[in-house]
Amino acid sequence: MLSEKSRPIIEATLPLVGSRLGAITPNFYGRMFAAHPELLDGLFSRANQNNGEQQKALAGSIAGFASALVANPDLIPETMLSRIAHKHTALGITEDQYDIVYKYLFEAIAEELADVITAEIAEAWTEVYWLMANALIKIEKGLYAAQANDKMWMPWTVVAKTPAGTDSMTFVLAPADDTPVTAARPGQFVSVKIALPDGLLQVRQYSLSADVESTTRRVFTTKRDDGGEVSPVLHNNVKVGDVVELSNPYGDVTLDGEGPVVFATAGIGCTPSASALRSLANAGGDREVLVLHAEKNLEAWALREQMTTDVDAIDGATLQLWLEEPTEGFHKGFMSLEGLDLPADASMYVCGPLPFMKAIRSQAIDAGIPSTKIHYEVFGPDVWLTGAAN
């Protein structure tokens, strides 16, 4: 709950702070990594630091949280915090690290806002930070406690590595020790920690693409060139028989239990939908399912065989496909919801590049699907936190 003392200060300074976040966040990360270089080894993504995506994510989350508190000072934006908490727990973020972030973030704020900051402004923004941090800490403790074990990283053996489409690979892994395994839910992801050629440990999150309920195997599908440093190493260096480290499964965008469902995906974004389809096919029943997918061409579709097989196995399922390179029998070009007969009261799950998700979400709302029933998943830093609701 934002105090009455701080609310008018945050409301008045939010535009200014928001306009300066582009300078504050690089300053903050520079300070923090200079003091704690170990945080880049197995926690923060070097690729996302280099391309600026992590800075955008931090700026977006702070601005989004502060805006939500100003609009509803008695409410905590649970949806936004849940998504962040699942990302944090998949990386092993700990309570003490919030103190580290606070120290260097507010040093950066003091420097970048030196011309305007007062003790009252600093106090108000400190309140916002700790409201957000303490809410996240509480959620994250619950997520950690819900796992079948109390470990962050567990060894898993690669037992199969199969090409998927023209530029992707499906990995199947089995537990390498007797650590209890948490069964996942359709749509969840795991983090994979890999040593890069220069020795730096880096982490990437991948949706489980099949057999999510299994406690004896993990299956995920990766695109070789996804803008990060982990996927190329998985494709090029990791071999069958190698042992890699996986996190427990996390992710709050999971398949609900009833009613019509629409999956709208593009490219490798089909992976969480593929796991949901597999679960629906295994469970049987006649739930109404509409699968919408977009690809460059048929050959590029990483999970084509799995998804088409599962659609055929579900009595109430249909598939529509958009291809940039035209093929007879399929839609040409980019996905559009215009003219589609979307199921009434459908829950919609969207995954793909950010521009795709924004466009499809907007079209879905125009088509009458409530924003509260449109769910999305973002991998890498979530720079869309202020632009959509889960």
Side-chain angles (χ1 to χ4, degrees):
M1 178 183 299
L2 185 62
S3 68
E4 287 301 318
K5 177 182 178 182
S6 294
R7 183 183 180 187
I9 298 173
I10 296 301
E11 188 170 15
T13 59
L14 184 57
L16 173 64
V17 173
S19 70
R20 301 279 187 93
L21 280 172
I24 291 170
T25 50
N27 185 324
F28 153 66
Y29 280 115
R31 290 172 178 272
M32 185 173 69
F33 291 138
H36 295 275
E38 72 278 3
L39 294 178
L40 268 175
D41 191 29
L43 185 59
F44 285 89
S45 166
R46 180 169 63 182
N48 289 330
Q49 287 295 319
N50 291 339
N51 63 26
E53 292 302 304
Q54 189 68 57
Q55 289 89 330
K56 292 178 186 177
L58 178 65
S61 63
I62 293 171
F65 185 79
S67 297
L69 287 181
V70 167
N72 296 286
D74 295 333
L75 297 176
I76 295 294
E78 296 290 348
T79 296
M80 185 184 82
L81 292 181
S82 176
R83 180 163 298 116
I84 295 173
H86 277 271
K87 302 288 187 181
H88 281 183
T89 47
L91 293 170
I93 297 295
T94 56
E95 184 174 349
D96 62 293
Q97 288 168 340
Y98 284 94
D99 293 297
I100 295 173
V101 169
Y102 172 76
K103 171 178 170 59
Y104 298 106
L105 178 59
F106 276 75
E107 284 182 4
I109 289 173
E111 180 173 312
E112 297 297 335
L113 299 181
D115 55 331
V116 295
I117 199 165
T118 64
E120 291 76 15
I121 293 174
E123 182 181 349
W125 280 95
T126 293
E127 181 181 345
V128 168
Y129 175 84
W130 283 111
L131 280 172
M132 184 174 180
N134 287 328
L136 285 170
I137 289 167
K138 180 179 179 181
I139 297 170
E140 289 159 15
K141 284 182 177 179
L143 292 175
Y144 286 132
Q147 299 294 337
N149 60 73
D150 60 359
K151 295 184 178 181
M152 178 56 218
W153 298 105
M154 289 133 285
W156 287 71
T157 303
V158 178
V159 297
K161 180 180 175 183
T162 308
T166 54
D167 194 36
S168 298
M169 191 79 67
T170 293
F171 293 82
V172 181
L173 301 96
D177 65 9
D178 59 358
T179 300
V181 174
T182 302
R185 299 192 300 275
Q188 290 195 306
F189 54 81
V190 295
S191 291
V192 181
K193 184 162 66 172
I194 292 290
L196 301 185
D198 63 3
L200 186 72
L201 292 172
Q202 289 285 270
V203 176
R204 188 78 172 180
Q205 293 162 347
Y206 298 108
S207 288
L208 297 169
S209 53
D211 301 337
V212 293
E213 297 93 346
S214 173
T215 57
T216 59
R217 55 194 263 138
R218 295 284 193 230
V219 183
F220 59 84
T221 303
T222 77
K223 185 177 180 180
R224 182 191 306 272
D225 182 12
D226 59 6
E229 296 185 273
V230 174
S231 292
V233 173
L234 283 172
H235 280 243
N236 300 328
N237 298 30
V238 173
K239 301 177 177 60
V240 171
D242 287 351
V243 175
V244 298
E245 291 186 284
L246 301 187
S247 74
N248 286 306
Y250 291 99
D252 64 339
V253 182
T254 58
L255 183 66
D256 61 26
E258 57 185 29
V261 59
V262 177
F263 299 111
T265 59
I268 199 63
C270 67
T271 53
S273 294
S275 74
L277 273 176
R278 174 55 52 90
S279 295
L280 290 169
N282 289 342
D286 58 355
R287 185 172 182 180
E288 186 176 5
V289 179
L290 176 59
V291 180
L292 312 175
H293 185 61
E295 278 288 355
K296 181 178 181 180
N297 53 50
L298 276 176
E299 291 71 28
W301 188 1
L303 296 173
R304 175 185 175 187
E305 182 177 354
Q306 176 181 323
M307 293 178 70
T308 54
T309 298
D310 290 339
V311 167
D312 290 341
I314 301 169
D315 290 341
T318 56
L319 168 68
Q320 296 202 39
L321 185 65
W322 282 257
L323 300 174
E324 294 178 43
E325 297 177 2
T327 299
E328 187 175 353
F330 302 107
H331 298 288
K332 177 182 178 181
F334 300 108
M335 185 186 296
S336 172
L337 304 185
E338 185 177 354
L340 294 184
D341 184 16
L342 299 176
D345 299 321
S347 294
M348 189 171 195
Y349 298 85
V350 185
C351 191
L354 281 172
F356 165 83
M357 292 197 292
K358 290 180 178 180
I360 294 302
R361 179 178 182 273
S362 178
Q363 292 177 35
I365 291 172
D366 290 343
I369 296 181
S371 62
T372 54
K373 301 199 76 172
I374 304 172
H375 314 283
Y376 71 95
E377 186 60 87
V378 178
F379 290 94
D382 194 342
V383 298
W384 198 24
L385 286 168
T386 58
N390 183 17

